[in-house]
Amino acid sequence: MHTDARLVPGRVRLLSVQAPEEIEYLVKESEVLTGRSGRTFVIAGADRLVYRVHWQPLTEPGGHAAGPVVERLGHHGEVLSRQHLQLWEFPEHSLVEAQAAGQLFTPPVRTTP
């Protein structure tokens, strides 16, 4: 699968995601430093699947909130699918499974366009 260079630059060294809880931190770090919602992650493999994760509140009965929104991105950055997950659902997502297998990476944060 070809990945658009704007999503994951081919010459940019990708950072390995070491723990599942790091995903939330990396998303929030990117949002604070860039002012843009979400962060791109890549599942290493033949397909190089690209996802963008946003961390935003989800309203539940009883007022509990917070959870990830995971978007699967296509060749040119288009959103192919979007999942709004509860916190308890996220550990079952393929991103977390890829992290456990040592196959989840993210580009470093760039604060300039």
Side-chain angles (χ1 to χ4, degrees):
M1 171 182 163
H2 171 71
T3 301
D4 191 317
R6 292 170 294 172
L7 296 174
V8 183
R11 296 190 177 144
V12 171
R13 182 175 171 192
L14 296 175
L15 307 171
S16 176
V17 180
Q18 300 296 313
E21 54 275 2
E22 219 177 282
I23 297 170
E24 180 180 4
Y25 172 82
L26 290 166
V27 170
K28 290 179 179 179
E29 171 196 53
S30 178
E31 292 176 343
V32 167
L33 293 175
T34 67
R36 292 186 305 268
S37 179
R39 184 166 186 153
T40 302
F41 291 88
V42 178
I43 296 178
D47 290 341
R48 286 184 57 104
L49 301 176
V50 179
Y51 291 85
R52 183 171 44 230
V53 178
H54 305 268
W55 219 269
Q56 65 182 27
L58 294 173
T59 305
E60 293 182 48
H64 298 96
V69 175
V70 181
E71 298 172 333
R72 171 75 173 87
L73 304 180
H75 299 289
H76 303 288
E78 71 277 17
V79 176
L80 300 176
S81 68
R82 179 178 290 123
Q83 293 179 289
H84 296 262
L85 302 171
Q86 300 294 321
L87 289 174
W88 58 268
E89 295 174 306
F90 192 54
E92 302 300 319
H93 194 277
S94 59
L95 284 172
V96 178
E97 292 175 3
Q99 180 281 315
Q103 295 180 313
L104 187 63
F105 298 87
T106 187
V109 174
R110 293 180 43 190
T111 55
T112 57

